[in-house]
Amino acid sequence: MTNRFEGRVAVVTAGGSGIGAATAKLFSREGAKVVLLDISGTRAEAVASEIEAAGGEVAWMKGDVAVPETVPAGIDLAMERFGALDIMFNNAGLAEPGPVEELTLESWNRVMSVTATSTFLGIKYSLPIMRRQGRGTIVNTGSIDGFLGERNMASYCAAKAAVVNLTRAAALEAAPDGIRVNCVCPGSVRTRAAQILAKGREDEYKKAIGGAHPLGRIAEAEEIANLVAFLASDDASFITGAVYTIDGGLTADCHLPSFNPSPAAA
């Protein structure tokens, strides 16, 4: 294990489980001081305790990122406790499945707030600090649903598409100050959210959804964390405005059936 993040401070939204928890632990193992935000204080505290038990420095707070004050409060906590903000990982997202005509405006607004607006706020409030410091990097969690459609996931697709293009626009604005902004776009990942979607039929879910990925399985959260950590590190020093697909080959396949007609008779 390297110390790529020695002396750096990272804020992770939705850090209490899944990709956020896996990434927070990886940041810590590689030397970062970490601040966790999560809607569940129980989950955030559990991840923080695990990081502390391994010798890491961590702070956490319970908060719903759909509330506009939550993300800047998490950034303030990083500055108060650790005096810097080097990595902002805007990871929070929410899906509320349903046909377009059945989605309520309340549901639409909540998905957009948790997924797209929280990312906007994470960028908005971290950039001035990073500019003053003369360093910093931002990573956003998008999704392959940000550039592909999925039935009954219209609000999630729209929100993740916003995250993808917000990443590009923010990267252009931040580049003159040497601040990098990138996006990871996973396919299906074994997370708490996936378990909820599986509705108690995890084995069937993994077989059906995993089987749709050319690699034959869904991802582990730690695999996504590895890509996030790379983009947040100096190893990616010339990468900004990039959107990285990490989906086991899913989007490489156009999903048309094979058709190999026999040669015409002479």
Side-chain angles (χ1 to χ4, degrees):
M1 187 63 64
T2 67
N3 287 315
R4 287 184 292 180
F5 305 116
E6 189 67 38
R8 300 187 189 181
V9 178
V11 172
V12 178
T13 65
S17 63
I19 294 169
T23 305
K25 294 173 190 176
L26 179 55
F27 282 158
S28 179
R29 288 198 301 272
E30 297 206 20
K33 301 170 184 177
V34 181
V35 174
L36 307 173
L37 281 72
D38 200 89
I39 195 169
S40 167
T42 300
R43 291 195 296 268
E45 185 177 21
V47 175
S49 295
E50 189 174 340
I51 289 173
E52 286 178 334
E57 294 186 65
V58 61
W60 65 273
M61 62 171 283
K62 176 181 179 179
D64 183 352
V65 298
V67 177
E69 294 78 17
T70 298
V71 172
I75 292 171
D76 287 345
L77 178 59
M79 297 302 294
E80 292 165 6
R81 287 287 302 274
F82 302 124
L85 175 62
D86 301 288
I87 302 165
M88 184 71 205
F89 181 30
N90 295 302
N91 173 61
L94 175 69
E96 292 190 351
V100 174
E101 66 269 26
E102 295 179 13
L103 292 177
T104 65
L105 181 58
E106 179 184 17
S107 174
W108 171 273
N109 285 339
R110 177 157 178 81
V111 170
M112 295 299 291
S113 294
V114 171
T115 308
T117 304
S118 75
T119 300
F120 157 70
L121 293 171
I123 296 170
K124 173 181 174 63
Y125 287 102
S126 61
L127 276 179
I129 296 169
M130 292 178 176
R131 285 195 172 104
R132 290 196 300 270
Q133 293 175 163
R135 67 183 188 278
T137 184
I138 299 168
V139 183
N140 305 320
T141 298
S143 167
I144 60 171
D145 278 6
F147 39 88
L148 296 174
E150 184 176 356
R151 292 173 183 83
N152 299 321
M153 294 287 277
S155 56
Y156 183 76
C157 290
K160 288 299 188 182
V163 170
V164 167
N165 231 26
L166 173 59
T167 296
R168 295 183 176 117
L172 296 177
E173 295 183 21
D177 294 299
I179 299 164
R180 299 182 298 104
V181 188
N182 292 294
C183 184
V184 297
C185 288
S188 297
V189 185
R190 190 163 68 90
T191 63
R192 178 176 169 274
Q195 291 174 336
I196 292 171
L197 288 173
K199 297 178 179 178
R201 300 162 65 185
E202 286 83 1
D203 289 343
E204 293 177 51
Y205 176 87
K206 285 191 289 185
K207 183 177 180 180
I209 303 302
H213 295 67
L215 286 181
R217 62 178 178 85
I218 62 177
E220 298 296 327
E222 290 76 13
E223 293 176 298
I224 313 304
N226 287 335
L227 178 56
V228 175
F230 165 70
L231 291 172
S233 76
D234 292 341
D235 294 333
S237 58
F238 200 59
I239 299 174
T240 196
V243 178
Y244 275 74
T245 302
I246 177 166
D247 67 353
L250 185 61
T251 55
D253 190 345
C254 70
H255 297 286
L256 288 175
S258 297
F259 181 63
N260 297 302
S262 301

